[in-house]
Amino acid sequence: MQLLKDRILKDGVVKAGGVLKVDSFLNHQIDVSLYREIGKEFYRRFENMGINKILTIEASGIGIACVTAEAFGDCPVVFAKKAESKNLDGELYTTKVTSFTKGREYNVIVSKKFIGKGDRVLIIDDFLANGCALIGLMELVEQSGAELVGAGIVIEKGFQRGGEIIRQKGIKLESLAIVESMDEENGVVFRN
Amino acid sequence: MQLLKDRILKDGVVKAGGVLKVDSFLNHQIDVSLYREIGKEFYRRFENMGINKILTIEASGIGIACVTAEAFGDCPVVFAKKAESKNLDGELYTTKVTSFTKGREYNVIVSKKFIGKGDRVLIIDDFLANGCALIGLMELVEQSGAELVGAGIVIEKGFQRGGEIIRQKGIKLESLAIVESMDEENGVVFRN
Protein backbone atom coordinates (compact mmCIF):
# COMPACT_ATOMS: atom_id res chain seq x y z
CA MET A 1 0.00 0.00 0.00
CA GLN A 2 1.92 2.97 -1.34
CA LEU A 3 0.29 5.65 0.85
CA LEU A 4 1.32 3.72 3.95
CA LYS A 5 4.87 3.04 2.73
CA ASP A 6 5.31 6.71 1.87
CA ARG A 7 4.13 7.67 5.33
CA ILE A 8 6.51 5.22 7.00
CA LEU A 9 9.40 6.62 4.96
CA LYS A 10 8.39 10.18 5.83
CA ASP A 11 7.51 9.85 9.51
CA GLY A 12 8.81 6.48 10.71
CA VAL A 13 11.99 6.37 12.76
CA VAL A 14 14.29 3.35 13.00
CA LYS A 15 15.73 2.79 16.45
CA ALA A 16 18.36 0.40 17.72
CA GLY A 17 17.21 -3.12 18.51
CA GLY A 18 14.87 -3.63 15.57
CA VAL A 19 12.37 -0.99 16.65
CA LEU A 20 10.42 0.95 14.02
CA LYS A 21 8.72 3.90 15.65
CA VAL A 22 5.54 4.94 13.89
CA ASP A 23 4.07 6.56 16.95
CA SER A 24 3.38 9.89 15.25
CA PHE A 25 0.63 8.42 13.06
CA LEU A 26 -0.11 4.77 13.85
CA ASN A 27 0.12 3.68 17.47
CA HIS A 28 0.34 6.57 19.90
CA GLN A 29 -0.80 9.59 17.93
CA ILE A 30 -3.25 8.39 15.28
CA ASP A 31 -4.02 9.75 11.83
CA VAL A 32 -7.59 8.51 11.41
CA SER A 33 -7.70 9.43 7.73
CA LEU A 34 -4.80 7.01 7.23
CA TYR A 35 -6.68 4.41 9.31
CA ARG A 36 -9.62 4.85 6.96
CA GLU A 37 -7.46 4.21 3.89
CA ILE A 38 -5.96 1.17 5.66
CA GLY A 39 -9.48 -0.10 6.36
CA LYS A 40 -10.47 0.30 2.71
CA GLU A 41 -7.37 -1.57 1.59
CA PHE A 42 -8.10 -4.47 3.98
CA TYR A 43 -11.63 -4.52 2.59
CA ARG A 44 -10.30 -4.65 -0.97
CA ARG A 45 -8.11 -7.63 -0.03
CA PHE A 46 -10.76 -9.55 1.94
CA GLU A 47 -14.07 -8.59 0.34
CA ASN A 48 -16.60 -11.25 -0.67
CA MET A 49 -15.14 -13.71 1.83
CA GLY A 50 -18.12 -13.67 4.18
CA ILE A 51 -16.30 -12.02 7.07
CA ASN A 52 -18.75 -11.30 9.89
CA LYS A 53 -16.34 -10.52 12.74
CA ILE A 54 -13.06 -8.67 13.13
CA LEU A 55 -10.77 -9.79 15.95
CA THR A 56 -7.87 -7.75 17.26
CA ILE A 57 -5.87 -7.37 20.47
CA GLU A 58 -5.54 -4.40 22.75
CA ALA A 59 -4.31 -1.77 22.64
CA SER A 60 -3.05 -0.43 19.32
CA GLY A 61 -5.07 -2.85 17.19
CA ILE A 62 -8.41 -1.50 18.45
CA GLY A 63 -8.60 1.76 16.56
CA ILE A 64 -7.47 0.16 13.30
CA ALA A 65 -10.00 -2.64 13.73
CA CYS A 66 -12.86 -0.20 14.43
CA VAL A 67 -12.18 1.98 11.40
CA THR A 68 -11.63 -1.13 9.26
CA ALA A 69 -14.98 -2.48 10.49
CA GLU A 70 -16.65 0.60 9.03
CA ALA A 71 -15.22 -0.38 5.63
CA PHE A 72 -16.71 -3.85 6.18
CA GLY A 73 -20.24 -2.46 6.58
CA ASP A 74 -20.02 -2.06 10.37
CA CYS A 75 -18.96 -5.62 11.02
CA PRO A 76 -18.66 -6.24 14.80
CA VAL A 77 -15.19 -5.95 16.33
CA VAL A 78 -13.94 -8.07 19.23
CA PHE A 79 -10.73 -7.14 20.95
CA ALA A 80 -8.82 -9.72 22.94
CA LYS A 81 -7.77 -8.48 26.36
CA LYS A 82 -4.43 -8.87 28.04
CA ALA A 83 -4.69 -10.42 31.52
CA GLU A 84 -7.85 -10.81 33.51
CA SER A 85 -9.96 -7.96 34.82
CA LYS A 86 -12.77 -7.95 37.35
CA ASN A 87 -15.17 -6.95 34.58
CA LEU A 88 -14.72 -10.17 32.60
CA ASP A 89 -16.71 -13.07 33.85
CA GLY A 90 -18.24 -16.15 32.30
CA GLU A 91 -16.34 -18.53 30.17
CA LEU A 92 -13.29 -17.36 28.30
CA TYR A 93 -11.02 -18.52 25.53
CA THR A 94 -7.49 -18.03 26.81
CA THR A 95 -3.94 -18.30 25.54
CA LYS A 96 -0.52 -16.95 26.44
CA VAL A 97 1.46 -14.45 24.39
CA THR A 98 5.00 -13.15 24.81
CA SER A 99 5.38 -9.44 24.04
CA PHE A 100 8.51 -8.36 22.19
CA THR A 101 8.08 -4.69 23.09
CA LYS A 102 7.21 -5.24 26.74
CA GLY A 103 9.51 -8.19 27.33
CA ARG A 104 7.05 -10.34 29.25
CA GLU A 105 4.38 -13.02 28.92
CA TYR A 106 0.71 -12.32 29.49
CA ASN A 107 -2.67 -14.03 29.24
CA VAL A 108 -4.89 -13.12 26.32
CA ILE A 109 -8.61 -13.69 26.69
CA VAL A 110 -11.82 -13.43 24.67
CA SER A 111 -15.29 -14.08 26.05
CA LYS A 112 -16.94 -17.15 24.60
CA LYS A 113 -20.05 -15.04 24.09
CA PHE A 114 -18.54 -13.14 21.18
CA ILE A 115 -16.88 -15.67 18.87
CA GLY A 116 -18.10 -19.13 18.03
CA LYS A 117 -18.99 -21.74 15.47
CA GLY A 118 -20.40 -20.18 12.30
CA ASP A 119 -18.34 -16.98 12.60
CA ARG A 120 -15.93 -16.07 9.80
CA VAL A 121 -13.15 -14.08 11.42
CA LEU A 122 -10.63 -11.58 10.08
CA ILE A 123 -7.76 -10.84 12.47
CA ILE A 124 -6.40 -7.28 12.31
CA ASP A 125 -3.26 -5.96 14.01
CA ASP A 126 -0.80 -3.11 13.62
CA PHE A 127 2.48 -5.09 13.66
CA LEU A 128 3.67 -8.57 12.83
CA ALA A 129 7.21 -9.44 13.92
CA ASN A 130 7.86 -12.84 15.52
CA GLY A 131 4.17 -13.66 15.20
CA CYS A 132 3.44 -14.33 18.87
CA ALA A 133 0.40 -12.07 19.14
CA LEU A 134 -1.07 -13.25 15.85
CA ILE A 135 -0.53 -16.92 16.70
CA GLY A 136 -2.23 -16.28 20.04
CA LEU A 137 -5.25 -14.76 18.30
CA MET A 138 -5.34 -17.68 15.85
CA GLU A 139 -5.42 -20.07 18.81
CA LEU A 140 -8.39 -18.21 20.27
CA VAL A 141 -10.24 -18.48 16.94
CA GLU A 142 -9.45 -22.18 16.80
CA GLN A 143 -10.71 -22.74 20.35
CA SER A 144 -13.95 -21.00 19.40
CA GLY A 145 -14.72 -23.25 16.46
CA ALA A 146 -15.01 -20.20 14.18
CA GLU A 147 -13.46 -20.10 10.72
CA LEU A 148 -10.30 -17.99 10.35
CA VAL A 149 -10.60 -16.25 6.99
CA GLY A 150 -7.28 -14.46 7.21
CA ALA A 151 -5.15 -11.84 8.89
CA GLY A 152 -4.58 -8.23 7.92
CA ILE A 153 -1.43 -6.56 9.25
CA VAL A 154 -0.44 -2.94 8.80
CA ILE A 155 3.34 -3.37 9.07
CA GLU A 156 5.16 -6.70 8.85
CA LYS A 157 8.80 -6.96 9.82
CA GLY A 158 9.79 -9.27 6.98
CA PHE A 159 13.20 -9.90 8.53
CA GLN A 160 11.58 -11.64 11.50
CA ARG A 161 10.00 -15.05 11.24
CA GLY A 162 6.33 -14.42 12.01
CA GLY A 163 5.14 -13.89 8.45
CA GLU A 164 6.90 -17.00 7.16
CA ILE A 165 5.54 -19.19 9.98
CA ILE A 166 1.98 -18.01 9.39
CA ARG A 167 2.06 -18.26 5.57
CA GLN A 168 3.43 -21.80 5.92
CA LYS A 169 0.29 -22.69 7.84
CA GLY A 170 -1.72 -21.78 4.73
CA ILE A 171 -3.25 -18.67 6.31
CA LYS A 172 -4.18 -15.80 3.98
CA LEU A 173 -1.92 -13.14 5.47
CA GLU A 174 -2.08 -9.65 3.97
CA SER A 175 0.50 -7.13 5.19
CA LEU A 176 0.10 -3.62 3.81
CA ALA A 177 3.82 -2.84 4.17
CA ILE A 178 6.54 -5.45 4.58
CA VAL A 179 9.86 -4.14 5.87
CA GLU A 180 12.61 -6.17 4.24
CA SER A 181 15.39 -4.53 6.21
CA MET A 182 16.00 -1.45 8.29
CA ASP A 183 18.75 0.21 10.24
CA GLU A 184 19.39 3.57 11.83
CA GLU A 185 21.75 4.67 9.04
CA ASN A 186 19.87 3.63 5.90
CA GLY A 187 16.31 3.68 7.20
CA VAL A 188 13.60 1.33 5.93
CA VAL A 189 13.70 -0.85 2.79
CA PHE A 190 10.40 -2.45 1.78
CA ARG A 191 9.87 -5.83 0.14
CA ASN A 192 8.47 -5.41 -3.35
CA MET B 1 -28.38 10.14 24.38
CA GLN B 2 -31.47 7.99 24.00
CA LEU B 3 -30.02 5.43 21.56
CA LEU B 4 -27.22 4.68 24.03
CA LYS B 5 -29.52 4.49 27.06
CA ASP B 6 -31.84 2.13 25.20
CA ARG B 7 -28.90 -0.07 24.31
CA ILE B 8 -27.66 -0.16 27.91
CA LEU B 9 -31.14 -1.14 29.10
CA LYS B 10 -31.36 -3.82 26.41
CA ASP B 11 -27.86 -5.33 26.52
CA GLY B 12 -26.16 -4.05 29.68
CA VAL B 13 -25.89 -6.37 32.68
CA VAL B 14 -25.56 -5.20 36.26
CA LYS B 15 -23.20 -7.30 38.36
CA ALA B 16 -22.41 -7.30 42.05
CA GLY B 17 -19.89 -4.73 43.26
CA GLY B 18 -21.03 -1.81 41.13
CA VAL B 19 -20.06 -3.35 37.81
CA LEU B 20 -22.07 -2.52 34.69
CA LYS B 21 -21.14 -4.94 31.93
CA VAL B 22 -21.55 -3.46 28.46
CA ASP B 23 -19.05 -5.81 26.88
CA SER B 24 -21.41 -7.00 24.16
CA PHE B 25 -21.39 -3.62 22.39
CA LEU B 26 -19.00 -1.11 23.99
CA ASN B 27 -15.77 -2.45 25.43
CA HIS B 28 -15.02 -6.02 24.40
CA GLN B 29 -17.26 -6.66 21.43
CA ILE B 30 -17.84 -3.35 19.67
CA ASP B 31 -20.83 -2.09 17.68
CA VAL B 32 -19.07 0.44 15.43
CA SER B 33 -22.36 1.89 14.19
CA LEU B 34 -23.12 2.81 17.81
CA TYR B 35 -19.60 4.27 18.13
CA ARG B 36 -20.36 6.42 15.08
CA GLU B 37 -23.54 7.77 16.67
CA ILE B 38 -21.60 8.41 19.89
CA GLY B 39 -18.99 10.30 17.88
CA LYS B 40 -21.63 12.45 16.22
CA GLU B 41 -23.19 13.23 19.59
CA PHE B 42 -19.82 14.29 21.05
CA TYR B 43 -19.34 16.47 17.98
CA ARG B 44 -22.74 18.08 18.53
CA ARG B 45 -21.82 18.86 22.14
CA PHE B 46 -18.31 20.18 21.42
CA GLU B 47 -18.49 21.67 17.94
CA ASN B 48 -17.15 25.18 17.22
CA MET B 49 -14.83 24.97 20.22
CA GLY B 50 -11.62 24.77 18.21
CA ILE B 51 -10.74 21.23 19.25
CA ASN B 52 -7.66 20.05 17.35
CA LYS B 53 -6.74 16.94 19.34
CA ILE B 54 -8.60 14.11 21.01
CA LEU B 55 -6.91 12.44 23.99
CA THR B 56 -7.93 9.09 25.42
CA ILE B 57 -6.38 6.22 27.36
CA GLU B 58 -5.82 2.64 26.34
CA ALA B 59 -7.50 0.32 25.85
CA SER B 60 -11.26 0.73 25.52
CA GLY B 61 -11.14 4.46 24.87
CA ILE B 62 -9.16 4.08 21.66
CA GLY B 63 -11.87 2.84 19.32
CA ILE B 64 -14.38 5.41 20.57
CA ALA B 65 -11.81 8.18 20.19
CA CYS B 66 -10.92 7.12 16.62
CA VAL B 67 -14.51 6.98 15.40
CA THR B 68 -15.27 10.24 17.24
CA ALA B 69 -12.27 11.83 15.52
CA GLU B 70 -13.89 11.07 12.17
CA ALA B 71 -16.90 13.14 13.28
CA PHE B 72 -14.46 15.94 14.13
CA GLY B 73 -13.09 16.07 10.57
CA ASP B 74 -10.29 13.56 11.17
CA CYS B 75 -8.86 15.38 14.16
CA PRO B 76 -5.70 13.57 15.41
CA VAL B 77 -6.12 11.15 18.32
CA VAL B 78 -3.52 10.56 21.02
CA PHE B 79 -3.93 7.67 23.39
CA ALA B 80 -2.16 7.69 26.73
CA LYS B 81 -0.36 4.44 27.48
CA LYS B 82 -0.33 2.48 30.69
CA ALA B 83 3.20 1.73 31.96
CA GLU B 84 6.36 2.10 29.99
CA SER B 85 7.22 0.12 26.87
CA LYS B 86 10.51 -0.24 25.02
CA ASN B 87 8.96 1.56 22.06
CA LEU B 88 8.42 4.81 23.91
CA ASP B 89 11.46 7.00 24.13
CA GLY B 90 12.04 10.72 24.39
CA GLU B 91 10.42 12.94 26.89
CA LEU B 92 7.12 11.95 28.37
CA TYR B 93 4.34 13.48 30.37
CA THR B 94 3.58 11.04 33.18
CA THR B 95 1.10 10.59 35.97
CA LYS B 96 -0.23 7.76 38.14
CA VAL B 97 -3.74 6.33 37.95
CA THR B 98 -5.49 3.78 40.15
CA SER B 99 -7.72 1.36 38.23
CA PHE B 100 -11.01 0.39 39.83
CA THR B 101 -11.52 -2.62 37.57
CA LYS B 102 -7.96 -3.94 37.82
CA GLY B 103 -7.39 -3.01 41.44
CA ARG B 104 -3.90 -1.58 40.99
CA GLU B 105 -1.94 1.60 40.29
CA TYR B 106 -0.11 2.18 37.03
CA ASN B 107 1.85 4.88 35.23
CA VAL B 108 0.14 6.73 32.41
CA ILE B 109 2.30 8.39 29.80
CA VAL B 110 2.02 10.58 26.73
CA SER B 111 4.91 11.60 24.53
CA LYS B 112 5.68 15.32 24.66
CA LYS B 113 5.83 15.26 20.86
CA PHE B 114 2.08 14.93 20.52
CA ILE B 115 0.46 17.44 22.87
CA GLY B 116 1.66 20.92 23.71
CA LYS B 117 1.00 24.62 24.00
CA GLY B 118 -1.53 25.80 21.42
CA ASP B 119 -3.45 22.51 21.36
CA ARG B 120 -7.12 22.50 22.30
CA VAL B 121 -7.83 19.05 23.70
CA LEU B 122 -11.01 17.02 24.09
CA ILE B 123 -10.65 14.01 26.40
CA ILE B 124 -12.77 10.98 25.47
CA ASP B 125 -13.30 7.82 27.54
CA ASP B 126 -15.82 5.02 27.86
CA PHE B 127 -16.48 5.18 31.61
CA LEU B 128 -16.33 7.71 34.40
CA ALA B 129 -16.68 6.36 37.93
CA ASN B 130 -14.37 7.67 40.65
CA GLY B 131 -12.67 9.89 38.08
CA CYS B 132 -9.12 8.60 38.52
CA ALA B 133 -8.42 7.97 34.83
CA LEU B 134 -9.96 11.26 33.75
CA ILE B 135 -8.11 13.25 36.40
CA GLY B 136 -4.89 11.54 35.26
CA LEU B 137 -5.54 12.59 31.66
CA MET B 138 -6.33 16.14 32.80
CA GLU B 139 -2.99 16.24 34.62
CA LEU B 140 -1.21 15.21 31.41
CA VAL B 141 -2.97 18.00 29.50
CA GLU B 142 -2.00 20.48 32.20
CA GLN B 143 1.63 19.36 32.11
CA SER B 144 1.64 19.88 28.34
CA GLY B 145 0.49 23.50 28.48
CA ALA B 146 -2.40 22.66 26.13
CA GLU B 147 -5.92 23.95 26.73
CA LEU B 148 -8.46 21.40 28.02
CA VAL B 149 -11.71 22.15 26.19
CA GLY B 150 -13.69 19.42 27.91
CA ALA B 151 -14.30 15.74 28.45
CA GLY B 152 -16.76 13.44 26.70
CA ILE B 153 -17.72 10.25 28.53
CA VAL B 154 -19.93 7.49 27.21
CA ILE B 155 -21.24 6.17 30.55
CA GLU B 156 -20.93 8.02 33.85
CA LYS B 157 -21.66 6.24 37.12
CA GLY B 158 -23.49 9.13 38.73
CA PHE B 159 -23.52 7.40 42.10
CA GLN B 160 -19.72 7.62 42.30
CA ARG B 161 -17.91 10.87 42.90
CA GLY B 162 -15.90 11.40 39.70
CA GLY B 163 -18.44 13.48 37.83
CA GLU B 164 -19.06 15.80 40.77
CA ILE B 165 -15.34 16.33 41.39
CA ILE B 166 -14.68 17.19 37.77
CA ARG B 167 -17.69 19.50 37.31
CA GLN B 168 -16.66 21.35 40.49
CA LYS B 169 -13.36 22.13 38.78
CA GLY B 170 -15.33 24.00 36.10
CA ILE B 171 -14.57 21.44 33.38
CA LYS B 172 -17.15 21.02 30.60
CA LEU B 173 -18.00 17.37 31.19
CA GLU B 174 -20.50 15.74 28.85
CA SER B 175 -21.63 12.21 29.70
CA LEU B 176 -23.93 10.59 27.17
CA ALA B 177 -25.61 8.36 29.78
CA ILE B 178 -25.48 8.99 33.53
CA VAL B 179 -26.43 6.01 35.69
CA GLU B 180 -28.19 7.35 38.77
CA SER B 181 -28.46 3.95 40.44
CA MET B 182 -28.24 0.29 39.56
CA ASP B 183 -28.54 -3.09 41.17
CA GLU B 184 -28.87 -6.68 40.08
CA GLU B 185 -32.56 -6.81 40.88
CA ASN B 186 -33.86 -3.55 39.40
CA GLY B 187 -31.25 -2.93 36.71
CA VAL B 188 -30.17 0.54 35.63
CA VAL B 189 -31.89 3.86 36.38
CA PHE B 190 -30.60 6.88 34.46
CA ARG B 191 -30.38 10.46 35.66
CA ASN B 192 -32.76 12.68 33.68
Side-chain angles (χ1 to χ4, degrees):
Chain A
M1 181 183 173
Q2 198 57 46
L3 180 76
L4 174 66
K5 291 179 184 172
D6 290 346
R7 187 63 175 273
I8 294 167
L9 292 176
K10 177 170 166 277
D11 293 330
V13 178
V14 181
K15 295 277 181 180
V19 173
L20 173 59
K21 284 178 69 74
V22 287
D23 61 351
S24 65
F25 59 97
L26 195 74
N27 57 13
H28 185 17
Q29 182 168 248
I30 291 167
D31 177 345
V32 290
S33 68
L34 178 67
Y35 271 22
R36 205 160 44 243
E37 295 307 315
I38 286 169
K40 286 182 199 166
E41 180 66 19
F42 283 137
Y43 181 72
R44 203 183 62 76
R45 297 187 187 206
F46 290 100
E47 66 181 321
N48 300 323
M49 297 181 74
I51 288 160
N52 74 326
K53 205 146 277 187
I54 291 175
L55 176 66
T56 189
I57 183 166
E58 63 178 18
S60 43
I62 298 173
I64 299 163
C66 286
V67 177
T68 295
E70 296 188 285
F72 280 78
D74 293 338
C75 171
V77 171
V78 176
F79 67 88
K81 302 194 177 197
K82 294 171 181 170
E84 205 146 354
S85 103
K86 219 166 66 179
N87 265 2
L88 272 172
D89 67 356
E91 287 188 82
L92 302 168
Y93 305 119
T94 68
T95 190
K96 283 190 191 300
V97 167
T98 304
S99 166
F100 169 73
T101 43
K102 303 211 171 174
R104 60 181 175 81
E105 191 181 66
Y106 48 84
N107 292 304
V108 174
I109 57 179
V110 165
S111 169
K112 290 187 180 176
K113 291 183 290 184
F114 304 133
I115 300 188
K117 214 165 149 51
D119 281 329
R120 295 181 57 80
V121 177
L122 172 63
I123 295 174
I124 293 286
D125 208 359
D126 58 341
F127 268 97
L128 171 62
N130 58 29
C132 285
L134 182 47
I135 289 166
L137 291 174
M138 288 164 51
E139 283 169 2
L140 297 177
V141 174
E142 188 167 346
Q143 287 174 33
S144 77
E147 184 92 11
L148 178 64
V149 175
I153 298 292
V154 180
I155 302 175
E156 177 181 338
K157 291 178 172 173
F159 52 90
Q160 289 191 246
R161 292 206 55 226
E164 188 188 340
I165 292 167
I166 285 153
R167 289 187 182 93
Q168 277 174 357
K169 290 176 189 284
I171 306 297
K172 179 174 164 66
L173 170 63
E174 294 282 342
S175 299
L176 304 188
I178 302 179
V179 177
E180 190 63 55
S181 65
M182 61 182 203
D183 60 58
E184 291 170 86
E185 205 173 320
N186 301 303
V188 172
V189 176
F190 293 107
R191 187 178 298 173
N192 281 325
Chain B
M1 181 183 172
Q2 199 56 46
L3 179 77
L4 173 67
K5 290 178 184 172
D6 290 346
R7 187 64 175 271
I8 294 167
L9 293 176
K10 177 170 166 278
D11 293 330
V13 179
V14 181
K15 295 278 181 181
V19 173
L20 173 59
K21 284 179 69 71
V22 287
D23 61 351
S24 65
F25 59 97
L26 196 75
N27 56 15
H28 184 18
Q29 182 169 249
I30 291 166
D31 177 345
V32 290
S33 68
L34 178 66
Y35 271 22
R36 205 161 43 243
E37 295 306 316
I38 286 169
K40 285 181 200 166
E41 180 66 19
F42 283 138
Y43 181 70
R44 203 182 63 74
R45 297 187 187 204
F46 290 100
E47 67 181 319
N48 299 322
M49 296 182 75
I51 288 159
N52 74 327
K53 204 147 277 188
I54 290 175
L55 176 66
T56 188
I57 183 166
E58 63 178 18
S60 43
I62 297 173
I64 299 163
C66 286
V67 177
T68 297
E70 295 188 286
F72 279 78
D74 292 338
C75 170
V77 171
V78 176
F79 66 87
K81 302 195 176 196
K82 294 170 180 170
E84 205 147 351
S85 105
K86 221 166 65 177
N87 265 1
L88 272 172
D89 66 355
E91 290 188 80
L92 302 169
Y93 306 118
T94 68
T95 189
K96 283 188 191 302
V97 167
T98 303
S99 167
F100 168 73
T101 43
K102 304 214 171 174
R104 61 179 175 82
E105 190 181 67
Y106 48 84
N107 292 304
V108 174
I109 57 181
V110 166
S111 169
K112 291 187 179 174
K113 290 184 290 186
F114 304 133
I115 300 188
K117 214 166 148 50
D119 282 329
R120 294 181 58 79
V121 177
L122 172 64
I123 296 174
I124 293 286
D125 208 358
D126 58 341
F127 268 97
L128 171 62
N130 58 29
C132 285
L134 183 47
I135 289 166
L137 292 174
M138 287 164 51
E139 283 169 2
L140 297 177
V141 174
E142 187 167 346
Q143 287 174 33
S144 77
E147 184 93 11
L148 177 64
V149 175
I153 298 294
V154 180
I155 303 175
E156 177 180 337
K157 291 179 173 172
F159 52 90
Q160 289 190 247
R161 291 208 55 228
E164 187 188 339
I165 292 166
I166 286 153
R167 289 187 181 93
Q168 278 175 357
K169 290 175 188 285
I171 306 296
K172 178 175 165 65
L173 170 63
E174 293 283 342
S175 300
L176 304 188
I178 302 179
V179 177
E180 190 62 56
S181 65
M182 61 184 202
D183 60 58
E184 292 169 86
E185 205 174 319
N186 301 303
V188 171
V189 176
F190 293 108
R191 187 178 296 172
N192 282 324

